[in-house]
């Protein structure tokens, strides 16, 4: 994963489900069959990966909490004896960058993990969680996810949870949020929020993708959005005429990712785009083989964007956001 000039590629990815897979499949973070294996990251320096604990919609109450705790136990077991830094503060990610090292940020994908108990927000923070999506696709105690037809927005409990997350230092993630919940949260939020793994509906008409209005809210809020590699959210068949014949033939998924990035830039989001690949949690295009394909994607981005923009999208934008919005040294 070393570039033509001999330099390592820098990568900050805002979402994957590798930890969830490692726990539920009784495997490891070093499983070569996964999209991400930390044994495959030697040429990425620095590398910061957000690891999500996914709470599927069939998990509620104590079942959701037990799933979360099992994943955290797995994480500590996997990190023991490695050089991977469990990043909880801005200082932690700065050290990873300065040392050209590897770091992880623990996240939760689904506010159902709380089981309706707001005291668990502080517990999550104390256990190392720094980002949480308010919902997955369905409804929970906080409000409605994007696949809920009624789209009822935030509940009263959800509003209280947003305020508590901001108080303790957990960043609100609005990927998977229903549209009303998204805008309800934007209205009451006092700190920047994120969409860790979301694309643009104007490019690929899928309900799970963000509207232009939503993305512009994120831009205005000095927030960050991670490009999602899920095939259904990309629409890999059409490519713009400016892509070369070789790119169109061999890199439909990569072309589609670049199309989303270009459209985001056209909305003024050059400094608000990052990677949120959804590795190990999504059906990804055939031309992307997990973490080992990131240098090829970087090279393709370099043919369509200025070098600084490519560095921003792959690392700098996310790093700047978290450097500013993670809590200080404890």
């Amino acid at each position: 994963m070393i570039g033509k000039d001999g330099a390592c590629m820098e990568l900050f990815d805002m979402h994957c489900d590798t930890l969830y897979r490692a726990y539920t499949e009784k495997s490891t973070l070093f499983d070569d069959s996964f999209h991400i294996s930390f044994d495959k990251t030697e040429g990425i320096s620095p590398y910061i990966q957000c690891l999500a604990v996914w709470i599927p919609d069939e998990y509620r109450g104590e079942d959701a909490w037990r799933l979360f705790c099992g994943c955290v136990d797995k994480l500590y077991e996997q990190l023991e004896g490695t050089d991977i830094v469990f990043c909880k503060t801005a200082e932690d990610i700065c050290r990873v960058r300065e040392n050209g090292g590897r770091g992880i940020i623990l996240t939760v994908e689904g506010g159902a993990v709380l089981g309706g108990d707001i005291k668990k927000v502080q517990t999550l923070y104390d256990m190392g969680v720094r980002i949480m999506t308010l919902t997955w696709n369905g409804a929970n105690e906080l409000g409605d996810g994007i696949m809920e037809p009624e789209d009822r927005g935030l509940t009263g409990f959800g509003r209280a949870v947003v305020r508590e997350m901001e108080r303790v230092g957990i960043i609100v993630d609005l990927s998977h949020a229903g549209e009303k919940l998204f805008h309800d949260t934007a209205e009451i939020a006092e700190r920047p929020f994120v969409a860790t793994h979301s694309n643009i509906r104007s490019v690929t008409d899928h309900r799970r993708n963000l509207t232009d209005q939503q993305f512009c809210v994120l831009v205005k809020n000095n927030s960050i959005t991670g490009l999602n590699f899920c095939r259904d959210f990309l629409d890999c068949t059409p490519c713009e005429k400016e892509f070369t014949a070789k790119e169109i033939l061999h890199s439909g998924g990569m072309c589609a990712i670049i199309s989303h990035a270009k459209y985001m830039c056209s909305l003024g989001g050059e400094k608000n785009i990052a990677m949120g690949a959804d590795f190990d949690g999504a059906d990804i295009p055939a031309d992307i083989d997990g973490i080992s394909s990131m240098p090829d994607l970087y090279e393709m981005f370099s043919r369509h964007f200025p070098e600084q923009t490519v560095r921003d999208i792959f690392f700098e934008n996310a790093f700047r956001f978290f450097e500013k919005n993670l809590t200080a040294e404890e």
Side-chain angles (χ1 to χ4, degrees), residues 39 56 66 82 104 110 120 128 150-151 184 219 230 256 260 302 315:
D39 281 339
R66 279 193 293 269
T82 75
I104 67 93
K120 281 195 167 81
E150 293 188 47
D151 192 21
D184 285 350
V219 171
C230 178
H260 281 269
S302 296
F315 188 87

Side-chain angles (χ1 to χ4, degrees), residues 18 28 34-35 46 55 63 80-81 90 93 111 113 116 118 150-151 179 192 203 211 227 252 282 287 313-314:
T18 310
T28 75
F34 287 0
H35 290 149
I55 308 297
D63 288 340
E80 187 175 355
I93 65 168
V113 70
I118 199 166
E150 293 188 47
D151 192 21
E179 288 189 44
V203 180
T211 65
L227 292 162
D287 61 311
I313 293 172
F314 276 75

Side-chain angles (χ1 to χ4, degrees), residues 201-260:
R201 201 176 301 178
S202 290
V203 180
T204 303
D205 188 13
H206 192 288
R207 187 172 180 179
R208 171 67 174 74
N209 288 339
L210 299 170
T211 65
D212 287 10
Q213 182 184 14
Q214 288 175 308
F215 182 69
C216 288
V217 167
L218 286 155
V219 171
K220 184 177 180 181
N221 192 53
N222 297 315
S223 299
I224 206 84
T225 300
L227 292 162
N228 191 321
F229 295 5
C230 178
R231 181 190 300 271
D232 289 345
F233 307 157
L234 288 173
D235 186 9
C236 301
T237 48
C239 272
E240 299 176 14
K241 292 180 181 179
E242 63 191 88
F243 290 103
T244 68
K246 181 180 179 181
E247 287 173 337
I248 294 172
L249 180 62
H250 297 294
S251 302
M254 293 188 185
C255 283
I257 293 166
I258 290 172
S259 293
H260 281 269

Side-chain angles (χ1 to χ4, degrees), residues 40-196:
K40 296 180 179 178
T41 63
E42 183 178 351
I44 305 176
S45 176
Y47 173 43
I48 300 174
Q49 178 66 59
C50 294
L51 292 177
V53 177
W54 174 38
I55 308 297
D57 281 332
E58 60 266 28
Y59 282 78
R60 291 294 184 265
E62 284 305 310
D63 288 340
W65 186 251
R66 279 193 293 269
L67 173 61
F68 169 75
C69 291
C71 287
V72 172
D73 288 345
K74 169 66 76 170
L75 176 61
Y76 276 103
E77 169 198 304
Q78 294 292 291
L79 294 182
E80 187 175 355
T82 75
D83 63 353
I84 302 169
V85 178
F86 191 161
C87 297
K88 301 176 183 178
T89 66
E91 287 80 2
D92 289 337
I93 65 168
C94 287
R95 282 194 290 270
V96 170
R97 183 184 195 181
E98 289 167 4
N99 297 330
R102 302 182 294 177
I104 67 93
I105 296 173
L106 180 61
T107 81
V108 179
E109 189 174 19
V113 70
L114 301 174
D117 182 0
I118 199 166
K119 294 179 182 178
K120 281 195 167 81
V121 175
Q122 181 68 60
T123 305
L124 290 176
Y125 179 86
D126 293 341
M127 294 174 74
V129 173
R130 293 298 180 264
I131 308 171
M132 183 174 76
T133 67
L134 301 185
T135 68
W136 194 57
N137 287 335
N140 62 33
E141 295 90 346
L142 285 71
D144 285 358
I146 190 60
M147 295 305 177
E148 278 294 320
E150 293 188 47
D151 192 21
R152 292 164 293 194
L154 275 176
T155 64
F157 178 71
R159 291 173 184 272
V161 166
V162 169
R163 297 186 185 99
E164 181 68 357
M165 289 173 66
E166 292 188 330
R167 184 190 72 81
V168 305
I170 297 178
I171 295 166
V172 173
D173 183 359
L174 293 177
S175 284
H176 289 283
E179 288 189 44
K180 190 171 189 309
L181 186 145
F182 180 102
H183 291 293
D184 285 350
T185 304
E187 286 178 6
I188 67 170
E190 296 181 355
R191 296 183 58 187
F193 42 84
V194 294
T196 56

Side-chain angles (χ1 to χ4, degrees), residues 256-322:
I257 293 166
I258 290 172
S259 293
H260 281 269
K262 286 184 175 182
Y263 191 79
M264 289 172 166
C265 287
S266 77
L267 296 177
E270 294 92 342
K271 300 296 184 181
N272 306 92
I273 314 168
M275 290 290 153
D278 209 355
F279 283 145
D280 291 307
D283 177 22
I284 62 176
D287 61 311
I288 301 173
D289 187 28
I291 195 76
S292 59
S293 294
M294 295 306 288
D296 292 336
L297 181 62
Y298 190 102
E299 182 183 353
M300 184 176 288
F301 263 77
S302 296
R303 295 200 293 270
H304 294 273
F305 296 93
E307 181 61 25
Q308 185 57 55
T309 302
V310 180
R311 291 189 62 195
D312 285 343
I313 293 172
F314 276 75
F315 188 87
E316 295 290 344
N317 287 341
F319 180 84
R320 282 191 294 264
F321 178 87
F322 286 100

